[in-house]
Amino acid sequence: MSDVPAPARRPEWDALEQHRAQGLPGLRDLFADDPSRAERYVVYVGDLRIDYSKHLVTDETLRLLRELAAAMDVFGLRDAMFRGERINTTEDRAVLHTALRAPRDAVIEVDGENVVPAVHAVLDRMADFARRVRSGEWTGHTGRRIRNVVNIGIGGSDLGPAMAYEALRAYTARDMTFRFVSNVDGADLHEAVRDLDPAETLFVVASKTFTTIETVTNATSARAWLLEGLGGDEKAVARHFVALSTNAEKVAGFGIDTANMFEFWDWVGGRYSYDSAIGLSLMIAIGPDRFREMLDGFRIVDEHFRTAPPEANAPLLMGLLGVWYNNFHDAQSHAVLPYSHYLSKFTAYLQQLDMESNGKSVDRQGRPVSWQTGPVVWGTPGTNGQHAYYQLIHQGTKLIPADLIGFVRPIAELSDGLKAQHDLLMANLLAQGQALAFGKTPDEVRAEGVPEELVPHKTFQGNRPTTTILATELTPSVLGQLVALYEHKVFVQGAIWNIDSFDQWGVELGKVLAKRVEPALTEGADVPGLDPSTAALVAAYRERRK
Ligand code: F6P
């Protein structure tokens, strides 16, 4: 891999720059010239219909982008990932989240060992435990059944299960309470447990490394809360704490019996982990069968990504469209705008997936990149965003490509009256895509009798690109499909930018410095090497805390 030339020094990159410089017609003209793009620029995967017709691309653009992907050997790297090769070179690790959803009879080897039996052994243990908790067979220390599950974790050990719990709320055990604590701000744990009965509460401590300070601190406080509530008997811990980790030694050191630990492996990245043991609290919420349906959904997209030709390969296309704007239109960000209340945490989840993966400024060989890498990913559920920041997307000076995600059917549980609101919700999604793409010309504004001085204010330029992802219903399988779609999109972009999408060294410095600064805050300790600005802030903090 050491001979991989920089993407930006390739003829395929130059060809895209020239193509961009030639200028493309706007979306009104593109559709006028070729209305069939509404059908041709759609790709299907599993239950997802992905419409990319409202992008500033032609057949030629797409061909040139695919040539760049071929030149960067995206599919070669993809195959190496699926084979279990150590493509996370800076950590010398395989990248095998796809093995987490492989069928029982699959063979995927890491260092000559088939990892699939271990994956299913853990899934079976999780299923057994989840069933026991859900049925009341697993009781707390005082014999009461567990009614509350509190997941303690951060980053990939929080965002995935928390997002998926929200997304699949309609499928959850409604007679149980699920909470997710991540922030080391004591307020997070306080609010999560203040109305809970410790005798009925199970803590799921989720940490790949089991060294993450926020998680260990919160878990320690949760333990104290539990023991205080249950009379101080240490034996209670075994009935109220389970761990999800790759690090048995640290789990035991913390005081959780490793018999209550659900394992995963170093070839699962934190942000790719919620379909591993990290999903235990979700599995308790939705039950093992629904969890397996979700894994099936992931697998549908894995298979698609592995086998679909470039022209019809959804993650490849979505990755390439992102590259087109990020690298050839100076777009700085990418909005993900779900038209589903249940997907309220989806974009936050994608922020870690995308930005921790592709927020890099050296390539796989350690050379500084001279091209843009990962975009800022942002967004909230669509209709709320419409009344907040869509103004900037419609009329601001920045180009913000966006994904609009919607469902044909609302969840079955809604009353008929609330179900009737669904068409209005989806009308908003469709209207936004249309307005962003086609805008409103000055002549159209004038034709409405708008005074001339207001015409520029009421004109919409259009040509704001969107992808519309439509599925029938937000089921566990569809959620798995959506997540895998974005996982592989991120993979494609990392491969094109020739960066390691699977390490996260950029989070380390802050962690080290926080440990160093803490004694300065608590004890007023002298911290060697503290810069003058931070030293002044430490002094101001201590002064005001007196
Ligand atoms: O933020 C860095 C990070 O290592 C993430 O990649 C990870 O998801 C998170 O911290 C939590 O790590 P752990 O699961 O080891 O507690």
Side-chain angles (χ1 to χ4, degrees):
M1 246 173 256
S2 58
D3 57 348
V4 176
R9 282 207 297 272
R10 289 181 175 273
E12 293 81 4
W13 189 278
D14 294 343
L16 279 159
E17 273 184 343
Q18 280 163 25
H19 179 67
R20 165 77 177 114
Q22 279 159 12
L24 281 182
L27 282 166
R28 283 182 182 234
D29 292 334
L30 287 172
F31 273 93
D33 291 351
D34 176 16
S36 77
R37 63 186 277 137
E39 279 90 42
R40 288 195 306 116
Y41 287 178
V42 177
V43 60
Y44 295 88
V45 47
D47 298 298
L48 311 177
R49 180 187 191 276
I50 304 169
D51 178 329
Y52 58 101
S53 62
K54 294 192 187 77
H55 277 283
L56 303 168
V57 295
T58 60
D59 289 355
E60 177 67 355
T61 323
L62 294 169
R63 188 184 66 75
L64 292 172
L65 285 165
R66 287 195 301 268
E67 281 186 2
L68 178 64
M72 293 309 295
D73 197 20
V74 172
F75 281 179
L77 192 67
R78 171 201 66 186
D79 294 342
M81 172 177 75
F82 276 93
R83 273 198 305 270
E85 287 179 27
R86 293 172 182 266
I87 64 163
N88 176 359
T89 48
T90 72
E91 294 182 320
D92 193 24
R93 286 177 183 167
V95 174
L96 268 183
H97 42 278
T98 51
L100 299 170
R101 51 262 192 167
R104 258 179 219 278
D105 57 357
V107 177
I108 303 170
E109 292 188 347
V110 176
D111 299 332
E113 193 190 330
N114 181 12
V115 298
V116 179
V119 166
H120 282 274
V122 173
L123 277 172
D124 291 344
R125 276 190 65 223
M126 288 165 65
D128 179 54
F129 182 73
R131 271 195 207 98
R132 287 161 72 200
V133 173
R134 286 164 63 89
S135 69
E137 186 191 327
W138 177 280
T139 53
H141 181 60
T142 64
R144 302 249 291 275
R145 73 180 286 174
I146 297 297
R147 298 197 180 277
N148 318 308
V149 176
V150 180
N151 189 87
I152 299 179
I154 197 163
S157 300
D158 166 73
L159 289 162
M163 175 279 292
Y165 170 72
E166 283 303 322
L168 300 177
R169 240 173 206 264
Y171 298 86
T172 59
R174 296 290 204 178
D175 57 345
M176 295 180 73
T177 298
F178 293 86
R179 305 236 164 108
F180 295 83
V181 172
S182 56
N183 200 329
V184 77
D185 182 340
D188 198 0
L189 182 63
H190 168 73
E191 291 297 336
V193 299
R194 56 179 286 280
D195 56 347
L196 302 186
D197 181 343
E200 299 182 340
T201 301
L202 175 74
F203 290 98
V204 176
V205 186
S207 177
K208 179 176 170 180
T209 55
F210 233 78
T211 57
T212 305
I213 191 85
E214 292 89 342
T215 300
V216 173
T217 304
N218 276 328
T220 306
S221 299
R223 194 153 161 261
W225 174 83
L226 180 95
L227 291 178
E228 196 186 315
L230 294 183
D233 185 352
E234 288 277 342
K235 283 209 283 296
V237 173
R239 303 300 300 176
H240 292 268
F241 273 80
V242 296
L244 321 173
S245 189
T246 59
N247 193 339
E249 207 179 306
K250 292 278 179 195
V251 168
F254 178 82
I256 297 180
D257 188 344
T258 46
N260 293 340
M261 168 178 153
F262 299 84
E263 184 197 9
F264 61 114
W265 307 272
D266 74 355
W267 39 261
V268 182
R271 53 194 174 273
Y272 298 87
S273 70
Y274 95 79
D275 46 343
S276 70
I278 290 293
L280 183 67
S281 44
L282 174 69
M283 192 194 267
I284 297 172
I286 63 173
D289 295 342
R290 295 299 196 186
F291 195 88
R292 285 188 196 279
E293 282 172 32
M294 186 186 74
L295 296 183
D296 293 344
F298 274 94
R299 190 158 66 232
I300 289 169
V301 177
D302 291 347
E303 279 310 293
H304 166 90
F305 181 47
R306 214 171 54 79
T307 58
E311 300 77 19
N313 195 302
L316 182 77
L317 275 163
M318 285 177 64
L320 290 175
L321 289 166
V323 167
W324 178 229
Y325 300 113
N326 189 63
N327 297 97
F328 301 95
H329 291 73
D330 298 326
Q332 297 291 316
S333 76
H334 182 93
V336 180
L337 309 166
Y339 280 72
S340 163
H341 183 69
Y342 290 111
L343 288 184
S344 60
K345 293 191 173 169
F346 190 63
T347 310
Y349 168 77
L350 292 184
Q351 284 180 322
Q352 187 199 14
L353 178 65
D354 200 321
M355 294 163 79
E356 203 172 71
S357 295
N358 286 343
K360 310 287 163 66
S361 54
V362 295
D363 70 8
R364 294 163 70 79
Q365 289 71 37
R367 303 168 296 201
V369 297
S370 61
W371 52 96
Q372 287 291 314
T373 61
V376 176
V377 176
W378 62 284
T380 52
T383 41
N384 297 359
Q386 284 172 212
H387 295 273
Y389 51 76
Y390 272 41
Q391 164 68 35
L392 186 146
I393 310 183
H394 281 286
Q395 287 189 318
T397 52
K398 294 174 175 60
L399 179 71
I400 302 175
D403 297 344
L404 308 173
I405 305 173
F407 302 92
V408 174
R409 280 204 294 261
I411 61 142
E413 201 180 280
L414 296 192
S415 67
D416 287 347
L418 292 178
K419 276 187 185 136
Q421 293 181 200
H422 195 71
D423 286 347
L424 179 58
L425 172 72
M426 290 303 288
N428 273 280
L429 181 156
L430 299 176
Q432 290 299 325
Q434 186 180 357
L436 289 164
F438 303 111
K440 197 170 183 183
T441 64
D443 284 346
E444 286 170 341
V445 177
R446 278 186 202 105
E448 290 175 352
V450 171
E452 196 55 33
E453 68 273 18
L454 283 183
V455 169
H457 298 279
K458 295 198 166 194
T459 296
F460 290 68
Q461 282 176 345
N463 294 319
R464 268 63 170 167
T466 54
T467 301
T468 306
I469 303 177
L470 201 60
T472 308
E473 205 174 322
L474 182 51
T475 61
S477 171
V478 165
L479 181 68
Q481 292 170 38
L482 279 171
V483 172
L485 178 71
Y486 281 95
E487 284 179 349
H488 297 319
K489 173 204 160 176
V490 167
F491 175 92
V492 165
Q493 297 191 330
I496 292 204
W497 296 323
N498 189 31
I499 54 179
D500 187 336
S501 298
F502 301 101
D503 61 16
Q504 56 285 317
W505 300 107
V507 301
E508 294 304 321
L509 180 60
K511 288 186 194 173
V512 172
L513 293 183
K515 272 195 196 144
R516 215 185 282 167
V517 172
E518 195 194 356
L521 298 181
T522 48
E523 305 149 22
D526 216 7
V527 177
L530 211 60
D531 68 88
S533 168
T534 312
L537 288 164
V538 167
Y541 176 85
R542 283 187 59 82
E543 177 61 29
R544 279 160 183 73
R545 208 177 56 169
K546 271 182 198 157

